[in-house]
Amino acid sequence: MKIILLGAPGVGKGTQAELICDHFNIPHISTGKLFRLNVAEGSDLGLQVNEYIKKGKLVPDYLTISLVEDRLNKDDCKNGFLLDGFPRDENQAKELELFLNKKGEHIDKVLLIEVSEKVILDRIAGRRVCPKCGESYNVKYNPSKVGDKCQVCGSELIQRSDDKEEVVLERLAIYNKVTKPIIDYYNALGVLYRIQGEDDINDIFKSILAILETD
Ligand code: AMP
């Protein structure tokens, strides 16, 4: 199953992505997480993308698309994958389509998680991430079982630098301007499914499973 998770920052894509990927045993490919790990490692790519991420701007396509294509060429993507945070504009959507078509593949389902802006701002304020392994938590809705440490690797959790309110507002503006139009693109292809994302985590996951388990 080849899936795209769409939605504004803070709608819970990362949380649902983990649940879906565990259930179907497919890799979770989050461009934001890959970029953040590169920044934390101080790699060449990390140095190139850091300024864009800090300001909430999109990383240029020549860096983003090659990162995704290299990842999708790995063996573990043969039986499916879930893309989270990519594509983010119409050009990325078209490049992805071309890339998959060349391999005789296509996206099966695009899940759009929808949440009001008020709830988004509340969720982002409580979001914490592990700087080492990239695991994401929320102090209110999805806390780490070991307090302010990562329950996967034990590192001290931090707030993402781009989760500050002024940067979040910029990220939301970019979402509304350049990412929202790709909803129509996938709707026209007949693969778009809308999910109400304000329920609790398990109820949202149940609605997602119902969609993914229907032909
Ligand atoms: P995210 O974790 O998906 O919210 O992404 C965090 C940041 O990484 C974004 O604000 C962008 O700066 C960058 N980023 C992630 N995915 C993409 C993408 N598909 N295209 C361009 N920039 C991206």
Side-chain angles (χ1 to χ4, degrees), residues 155-178:
S155 303
E156 192 90 24
L157 299 177
I158 56 160
Q159 184 163 32
R160 274 168 56 172
S161 61
D162 61 346
D163 276 352
K164 287 192 219 97
E165 188 159 329
E166 70 272 20
V167 185
V168 171
L169 293 175
E170 172 68 11
R171 289 162 60 208
L172 284 172
I174 291 181
Y175 175 79
N176 287 323
K177 195 166 160 216
V178 302

Side-chain angles (χ1 to χ4, degrees), residues 3-213:
I3 307 166
I4 293 174
L5 255 193
L6 272 186
V11 297
K13 294 191 297 296
T15 307
Q16 294 300 326
E18 293 296 334
L19 295 169
I20 298 166
C21 291
D22 277 354
H23 186 89
F24 291 102
N25 199 20
I26 51 175
H28 171 197
I29 303 172
S30 156
T31 40
K33 189 166 168 181
L34 290 172
F35 285 142
R36 281 189 291 282
L37 292 176
N38 272 277
V39 171
E41 281 164 8
S43 72
D44 270 357
L45 177 65
L47 293 174
Q48 291 181 77
V49 302
N50 195 17
E51 283 305 307
Y52 296 100
I53 294 179
K54 273 202 316 210
K55 293 184 188 139
K57 306 272 183 211
L58 291 189
V59 170
D61 279 357
Y62 73 95
L63 295 170
T64 308
I65 292 172
S66 55
L67 175 81
V68 172
E69 292 187 353
D70 287 349
R71 182 64 189 86
L72 292 179
N73 276 332
K74 297 222 163 103
D75 276 353
D76 64 342
C77 292
K78 282 213 173 91
N79 295 323
F81 51 80
L82 180 144
L83 284 169
D84 159 12
F86 183 94
R88 226 148 163 139
D89 62 20
E90 205 165 342
N91 184 49
Q92 292 182 1
K94 288 185 173 151
E95 289 290 334
L96 175 66
E97 178 100 345
L98 276 177
F99 171 80
L100 292 175
N101 287 352
K102 272 190 211 146
K103 304 204 283 183
E105 297 175 2
H106 63 273
I107 293 294
D108 297 298
K109 288 185 180 164
V110 177
L111 307 172
L112 169 66
I113 307 184
E114 296 180 296
V115 167
S116 73
E117 206 147 290
K118 186 172 165 285
V119 172
I120 287 177
L121 293 173
D122 175 54
R123 285 196 190 160
I124 288 187
R127 181 149 77 178
R128 299 292 180 272
V129 290
C130 173
K132 191 151 172 245
C133 73
E135 192 74 7
S136 192
Y137 302 89
N138 189 294
V139 290
K140 210 155 139 193
Y141 305 107
N142 183 28
S144 164
K145 295 192 179 86
V146 289
D148 52 8
K149 301 238 166 27
C150 175
Q151 67 193 36
V152 177
C153 75
S155 303
E156 192 90 24
L157 299 177
I158 56 160
Q159 184 163 32
R160 274 168 56 172
S161 61
D162 61 346
D163 276 352
K164 287 192 219 97
E165 188 159 329
E166 70 272 20
V167 185
V168 171
L169 293 175
E170 172 68 11
R171 289 162 60 208
L172 284 172
I174 291 181
Y175 175 79
N176 287 323
K177 195 166 160 216
V178 302
T179 310
K180 249 190 179 166
I182 67 178
I183 295 170
D184 293 338
Y185 175 85
Y186 287 115
N187 204 12
L189 291 176
V191 291
L192 186 83
Y193 298 82
R194 292 174 188 269
I195 291 121
Q196 210 284 91
E198 293 191 11
D199 296 339
D200 104 356
I201 291 175
N202 290 318
D203 290 336
I204 298 169
F205 181 52
K206 275 189 206 143
S207 339
I208 290 179
L209 270 190
I211 292 167
L212 295 178
E213 285 175 341

